[in-house]
Amino acid sequence: MRLLHAERLEFAEFFDTQIPDYLILSHRWGEKEVSYQQMRKNRAETGPGLAKIHAFCTLALRKCYEWVWIDTCCIDKKSSAELSEAINSMFYWYSNAVECFIYLSDVLKNGHHAGDEDFDDEFSASAWFTRGWTVQELVAPRQLTLYDADWKEIGDKSALAAKIAAITGIGIQYIWMSDTRGRRDIIEEASVATRMSWVSRRQTSRSEDIAYCMLGLFDVNMPLLYGEGAVKAFLRLQSEILSRSEDETIFAWTSDPHSAGFSGFSSLLASEPRFFANSGDYSPIPVRDSQHLRYWMTNRGLALQIPMNDLRHSWKNEGIFFELCVKRNSDDQVMGIQICRHSKSKRWTRSQSQLLIEMTLIEWIEREGSERRAAKGPPVTLYFPQSEVHPKASKPGGFYRDGRQTKNHRGRKAQRIKYGTLRTAVPPKRRSFGIEPSAALTNGPRYAPMIDARPRSASSR
């Protein structure tokens, strides 16, 4: 770790246990920021960037600290290896700092105090709360103090936690906690969907950084590939999360039906963090480890293994759906997703991605929820592509018999289904839908949805 001496303005590198106590700065990048090369050669141009460094160092010396860290000049950004190491270590560096100073360059106290209406409006409108990188810079440090544009103290974390929580949507328990647990342990209490929602409405200068800025939030390390684009970077991040987490809230997202190119058909993985904007209240339902969904990445995409009896057909929602081990905390609704099969690749896709199916969490689930994924018959392995699919390539429902597509079951569309009707969703004397092994697929545990169309008499039509 490269630190800057606050008095001599010279760099020194430290490793592991040799790292001394240091202060760290969180700020929004502005004009004429000073780079590592400029600072090392004493060629920094006079301007806001250099003035910011001098003011921060002066404040650190006033608090009796010799070493500081500033992202603008303490990282050699011309070295891709050093930049990758710094971004992967950022959460660790902020959490181990003695204190973090947050500099709000667009806020002025002007004699006001926290709680004054005029000041609160200016404080809430600060651009610092809109940047992707500042999320981990807010939740990682043990202690932090906020300063205005004139380096006048606004307040510390304990005094402003409630106000910051209201602005950012991050729970106050993740911003400020008085117990002795580490910051990592506290952050990991939030579900995957909750942590995604913290960044869902934020922006970054480079498109890939919207994914890279979340590495520390999920304790994930991966190489940086600038130029791959935001979608690929975010999919790589989710793949890393899937490899180490059984939290099914990663699938509890909804796409934007008003966005360009919206089709309603997608993979199980979100293509953008903004799809988690309404997922902050979701949490996993505790079940036995052996009863979690099994998923892994393959050359065919995301493989999902699920018991047959968990796949259900709804005559209200054209298609097959299954419930996740996810509930909404505000009203204890169990969330589910609808899927259909791709007519060309034979892979599955998520349909109606703009909504989640809601099922009432009744006392039976609260009492026996841990048993509802007990093995009852062979599991089904479904393959989902990582990228979006063309809407014409998928049919609602996607029912097959021995690999042949059959006519879809028509029914009323509904976004809400009561849990009590799930097992009897198909009206009697009409059709019953099940999942049976496909006779055409004999090698390996592959299964295709099958339609059982009972012959109907003229009187029943």
Side-chain angles (χ1 to χ4, degrees), residues 96-342:
N96 284 338
V98 175
E99 188 175 358
C100 173
F101 289 177
I102 298 178
Y103 176 63
L104 305 180
S105 59
D106 52 357
V107 176
L108 280 173
K109 291 187 67 175
N110 289 331
H112 296 288
H113 301 282
D116 295 345
E117 184 176 353
D118 293 340
F119 175 77
D120 287 350
D121 292 342
E122 184 178 1
F123 180 74
S124 302
S126 175
W128 187 87
F129 294 110
T130 67
R131 311 307 297 174
W133 288 106
T134 58
V135 174
Q136 66 177 357
E137 295 168 11
L138 172 64
V139 299
R142 293 170 290 178
Q143 299 290 333
L144 61 82
T145 305
L146 289 84
Y147 292 88
D148 72 351
D150 292 334
W151 290 93
K152 295 179 181 178
E153 183 175 333
I154 299 174
D156 59 11
K157 179 186 289 192
S158 59
L160 298 171
K163 189 181 299 297
I164 295 174
I167 297 172
T168 61
I170 302 175
I172 192 172
Q173 67 272 28
Y174 307 116
I175 298 174
W176 178 72
M177 187 69 71
S178 59
D179 57 25
T180 57
R181 289 178 298 166
R183 296 300 301 167
R184 172 68 63 190
D185 296 333
I186 296 173
I187 299 303
E188 289 184 350
E189 290 182 356
S191 67
V192 170
T194 298
R195 281 176 275 178
M196 290 285 190
S197 70
W198 296 347
V199 189
S200 61
R201 293 181 173 89
R202 298 194 174 227
Q203 301 174 346
T204 55
S205 299
R206 303 192 66 169
S207 59
E208 296 88 352
D209 283 342
I210 198 63
Y212 300 157
C213 72
M214 289 188 277
L215 296 181
L217 296 178
F218 296 102
D219 196 16
V220 166
N221 296 100
M222 68 182 197
L224 310 185
L225 303 175
Y226 284 107
E228 65 176 330
V231 175
K232 289 185 178 179
F234 190 50
L235 289 175
R236 282 204 300 131
L237 172 65
Q238 293 176 90
S239 298
E240 291 292 333
I241 296 173
L242 288 174
S243 67
R244 65 187 66 194
S245 172
E246 293 182 330
D247 188 343
E248 296 175 18
T249 62
I250 194 172
F251 305 123
W253 53 270
T254 51
S255 57
D256 181 8
H258 303 293
S259 61
F262 171 77
S263 66
F265 298 90
S266 68
S267 171
L268 284 185
L269 301 179
S271 58
E272 301 177 54
R274 65 188 181 94
F275 292 164
F276 287 91
N278 299 319
S279 304
D281 195 31
Y282 296 151
S283 63
I285 300 174
V287 295
R288 292 201 304 263
D289 291 342
S290 60
Q291 295 171 344
H292 279 286
L293 287 175
R294 301 300 178 193
Y295 37 76
W296 60 95
M297 297 304 301
T298 70
N299 60 338
R300 295 183 61 189
L302 176 63
L304 175 70
Q305 191 175 74
I306 184 172
M308 283 186 181
N309 291 353
D310 278 359
L311 290 173
R312 316 177 192 279
H313 175 265
S314 169
W315 61 276
K316 292 183 178 180
N317 269 43
E318 296 180 352
I320 291 177
F321 68 93
F322 61 91
E323 70 266 24
L324 301 168
C325 286
V326 176
K327 70 173 183 177
R328 187 165 52 207
N329 297 323
S330 59
D331 55 7
D332 280 345
Q333 294 288 305
V334 178
M335 314 310 295
I337 55 179
Q338 181 174 315
I339 60 175
C340 63
R341 199 172 187 182
H342 197 284

Side-chain angles (χ1 to χ4, degrees), residues 255-445:
S255 57
D256 181 8
H258 303 293
S259 61
F262 171 77
S263 66
F265 298 90
S266 68
S267 171
L268 284 185
L269 301 179
S271 58
E272 301 177 54
R274 65 188 181 94
F275 292 164
F276 287 91
N278 299 319
S279 304
D281 195 31
Y282 296 151
S283 63
I285 300 174
V287 295
R288 292 201 304 263
D289 291 342
S290 60
Q291 295 171 344
H292 279 286
L293 287 175
R294 301 300 178 193
Y295 37 76
W296 60 95
M297 297 304 301
T298 70
N299 60 338
R300 295 183 61 189
L302 176 63
L304 175 70
Q305 191 175 74
I306 184 172
M308 283 186 181
N309 291 353
D310 278 359
L311 290 173
R312 316 177 192 279
H313 175 265
S314 169
W315 61 276
K316 292 183 178 180
N317 269 43
E318 296 180 352
I320 291 177
F321 68 93
F322 61 91
E323 70 266 24
L324 301 168
C325 286
V326 176
K327 70 173 183 177
R328 187 165 52 207
N329 297 323
S330 59
D331 55 7
D332 280 345
Q333 294 288 305
V334 178
M335 314 310 295
I337 55 179
Q338 181 174 315
I339 60 175
C340 63
R341 199 172 187 182
H342 197 284
S343 59
K344 292 184 178 180
S345 67
K346 307 303 187 237
R347 289 182 292 180
W348 289 78
T349 64
R350 178 177 168 182
S351 58
Q352 300 290 329
S353 61
Q354 73 275 19
L355 59 89
L356 290 169
I357 297 175
E358 301 177 2
M359 296 156 277
T360 306
L361 184 64
I362 58 177
E363 293 182 358
W364 185 87
I365 297 180
E366 295 176 339
R367 184 175 64 254
E368 302 184 50
S370 61
E371 302 293 331
R372 62 192 177 90
R373 280 228 170 111
K376 297 178 181 178
V380 182
T381 302
L382 311 178
Y383 294 90
F384 293 82
Q386 286 195 38
S387 58
E388 300 290 334
V389 295
H390 195 277
K392 294 183 179 179
S394 296
K395 303 287 186 179
F399 300 110
Y400 285 77
R401 179 168 187 150
D402 296 337
R404 301 191 306 272
Q405 189 169 7
T406 62
K407 186 176 180 180
N408 296 321
H409 174 66
R410 290 186 176 182
R412 295 173 297 168
K413 291 185 178 181
Q415 297 184 15
R416 179 179 292 271
I417 303 174
K418 292 184 179 179
Y419 187 87
T421 65
L422 289 180
R423 298 184 181 276
T424 59
V426 180
K429 297 182 180 180
R430 291 187 65 185
R431 295 182 178 183
S432 63
F433 296 87
I435 303 293
E436 296 185 6
S438 171
L441 302 174
T442 57
N443 297 327

